[in-house]
Amino acid sequence: NEESFDLPQHTVTFRSAAGRPDGDISFFATDGEILRTSCLRRGLVSPHNGNARLINCRGLGTCGTCAVEIESACSTADESPSIEPPQRNNLENIRLEFPPHGSSDQSPKLRLACQVQVRGDIVVTKRAGFWGQASASTTDGEGGASEEETTMVDPSDAKTYFGELEYLLDRRSPQKSPEDRDNR
């Protein structure tokens, strides 16, 4: 689809949940691209932790392993992130209310990366745990968040096991990114 090459590009920043700026990873996503697909296409960061990189639903929204917190990249805290749909869809509501998600301290910003399209600059936080379920309120015994519970997945672990088959089921994203076009 040659038209997708002219679509706007948006900055996606994966932020270390522990707040370390040296842990941030940024890349460009094409307007309308599914967040999960954009991560896997670029190979810089994964929306999945550990074995969830291999054992997941491949974007169907049924496993919940790609749960991430999404915020607007703008400095205004009240602004909604530039994603579509702006609120959780029915699939997300069902999955994110089912254990291990659905705890009373779950962030209202928690979304499934396989269900949202990038429509502007966003900041993403991936928490620890197989499903990324570790809460921001998990403590280290001294009232702070423990390093183990808040560390973003290691970017060196962002490999895909099945190449482009990882996002074969994604029918909403532009089919190729500008980087893919340049590599033909």
Side-chain angles (χ1 to χ4, degrees):
N1 181 356
E2 289 295 323
E3 294 173 14
S4 68
F5 301 133
D6 296 328
L7 292 173
Q9 298 291 301
H10 306 293
T11 302
V12 174
T13 301
F14 261 71
R15 180 177 60 198
S16 166
R20 294 184 316 270
D22 63 328
D24 289 357
I25 298 169
S26 295
F27 60 89
F28 290 103
T30 303
D31 187 64
E33 194 169 20
I34 296 292
L35 179 57
R36 178 184 181 276
T37 299
S38 68
C39 294
L40 297 175
R41 276 184 177 160
R42 299 332 176 269
L44 298 174
V45 69
S46 174
H48 305 284
N49 288 340
N51 287 333
R53 291 185 323 266
L54 179 60
I55 305 167
N56 64 72
C57 68
R58 302 292 181 258
L60 295 176
T62 56
C63 71
T65 61
C66 67
V68 294
E69 291 179 29
I70 304 174
E71 299 175 90
S72 173
C74 296
S75 57
T76 308
D78 295 336
E79 187 171 329
S80 296
S82 298
I83 55 175
E84 216 172 88
Q87 302 296 321
R88 290 179 182 169
N89 62 27
N90 287 337
L91 193 57
E92 286 179 286
N93 279 329
I94 291 168
R95 183 59 197 98
L96 292 175
E97 289 302 319
F98 192 77
H101 302 293
S103 65
S104 60
D105 63 348
Q106 175 177 283
S107 170
K109 298 174 184 175
L110 195 67
R111 300 293 299 270
L112 296 180
C114 67
Q115 297 298 304
V116 298
Q117 292 175 283
V118 179
R119 295 294 186 183
D121 297 347
I122 58 173
V123 176
V124 178
T125 301
K126 177 66 179 181
R127 299 211 179 272
F130 185 83
W131 285 273
Q133 78 277 10
S135 131
S137 65
T138 303
T139 62
D140 60 8
E142 298 176 8
S146 71
E147 182 72 16
E148 180 180 333
E149 289 296 318
T150 59
T151 303
M152 181 176 67
V153 65
D154 184 337
S156 66
D157 291 338
K159 68 178 180 179
T160 58
Y161 288 92
F162 303 108
E164 291 187 15
L165 293 176
E166 293 280 356
Y167 42 88
L168 178 71
L169 300 173
D170 177 1
R171 297 287 183 232
R172 294 179 288 167
S173 291
Q175 293 305 303
K176 292 285 184 180
S177 68
E179 294 87 11
D180 295 335
R181 180 187 66 176
D182 294 341
N183 292 330
R184 287 194 262 179

